[in-house]
């Protein structure tokens, strides 16, 4: 990505009535990359319409570096402290553009009660537990998929503590029926 900066300056000759205006063009090229963040909600009680909040922080030369203002429909908010905040639902993603090469970028998800949080970096098969992904000294595009499962034990109405008693009751009824039928046959003979 390239950005051009223009600077106007005035040159004053000895005679202050004859101002001469010149325009100098400075072209500053900032080599950048991007990071894509995506969201997956999983589990038997995961709400796929729930919004999850993220904060992204840039560090350049060991100092905080402000995110550029959002452009071209980018869906994040630039905060007063230079960080960026955005939200994602299940299946959504955002690409953070104009990340300076060599920067560190830290992306953190705000914890949500009842949900576990893990992430996969750059398409990895195995997820890592945690709420923060850090890419250090970025030189290429990266991706982070945040995964939030919410699983609860569903009450089926059957308590495993009562199963032995139910089996004993079925056995007693079965034995009683067997004895009743056997006795009935002996009376008929």
């Amino acid at each position: 990505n390239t950005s051009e900066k223009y600077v106007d300056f005035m040159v004053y000759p000895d005679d202050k009535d004859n101002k001469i205006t010149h325009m100098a063009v400075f072209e500053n090229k900032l080599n950048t990359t991007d990071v894509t963040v995506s969201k997956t909600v999983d589990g038997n009680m995961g709400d796929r319409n729930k919004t999850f909040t993220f904060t992204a922080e840039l560090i350049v030369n060991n100092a905080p570096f402000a995110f550029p203002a959002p452009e071209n429909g980018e869906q994040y908010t630039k905060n007063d402290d230079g960080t960026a905040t955005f939200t994602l639902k299940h299946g959504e993603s955002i690409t953070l553009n104009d990340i300076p090469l060599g920067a560190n970028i830290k992306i953190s998800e705000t914890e949500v009660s009842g949900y576990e949080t893990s992430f996969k970096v750059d398409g990895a098969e195995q997820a890592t537990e945690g709420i923060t992904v850090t890419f250090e000294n970025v030189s290429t595009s990266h991706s982070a998929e945040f995964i939030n499962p919410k699983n609860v034990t569903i009450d089926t109405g059957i308590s495993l503590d009562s199963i032995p008693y139910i089996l004993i009751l079925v056995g007693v009824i079965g034995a009683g029926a067997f004895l009743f039928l056997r006795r009935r046959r002996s009376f008929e003979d």
Side-chain angles (χ1 to χ4, degrees):
N1 296 329
T2 302
S3 62
E4 293 182 357
K5 305 293 181 188
Y6 295 94
V7 178
D8 290 332
F9 67 95
M10 305 293 285
V11 176
Y12 296 97
D14 291 338
D15 182 3
K16 293 202 183 227
D17 292 335
N18 294 325
K19 293 190 241 179
I20 302 172
T21 303
H22 294 278
M23 179 183 258
V25 177
F26 296 93
E27 183 177 274
N28 294 321
K29 291 184 181 180
L30 179 63
N31 293 321
T32 62
T33 189
D34 56 68
V35 174
T36 300
V37 181
S38 61
K39 164 59 62 199
T40 300
V41 176
D42 202 3
N44 61 8
M45 292 300 285
D47 181 356
R48 293 179 174 221
N49 294 314
K50 184 164 189 55
T51 300
F52 294 82
T53 303
F54 295 84
T55 302
E57 178 183 355
L58 277 174
I59 305 291
V60 176
N61 296 326
N62 296 321
F65 188 83
F67 264 86
E71 296 178 352
N72 303 324
E74 291 176 320
Q75 299 296 314
Y76 66 84
T77 302
K78 181 180 175 184
N79 302 315
D80 290 339
D81 63 358
T83 61
T85 303
F86 56 93
T87 60
L88 295 173
K89 293 180 182 178
H90 173 76
E92 293 182 334
S93 66
I94 185 172
T95 299
L96 303 171
N97 296 306
D98 299 327
I99 308 299
L101 294 184
N104 297 340
I105 181 167
K106 181 169 85 172
I107 303 161
S108 300
E109 181 178 7
T110 303
E111 290 188 71
V112 176
S113 179
Y115 286 86
E116 298 172 21
T117 304
S118 61
F119 55 85
K120 293 181 182 179
V121 174
D122 294 331
E125 291 292 321
Q126 188 68 23
T128 303
E129 288 191 30
I131 61 169
T132 300
V133 173
T134 302
F135 296 102
E136 295 183 351
N137 195 22
V138 294
S139 60
T140 61
S141 296
H142 290 284
S143 66
E145 176 190 7
F146 282 83
I147 305 157
N148 295 93
K150 182 176 184 180
N151 290 303
V152 293
T153 302
I154 298 173
D155 186 10
T156 61
I158 298 174
S159 171
L160 294 178
D161 294 338
S162 62
I163 286 181
Y165 299 110
I166 292 171
L167 293 175
I168 291 172
L169 179 63
V170 168
V172 168
I173 291 172
F178 174 74
L179 290 175
F180 176 76
L181 292 174
R182 187 171 165 199
R183 196 173 252 238
R184 187 173 174 179
R185 273 193 228 155
S186 67
F187 283 128
E188 291 176 358
D189 290 337

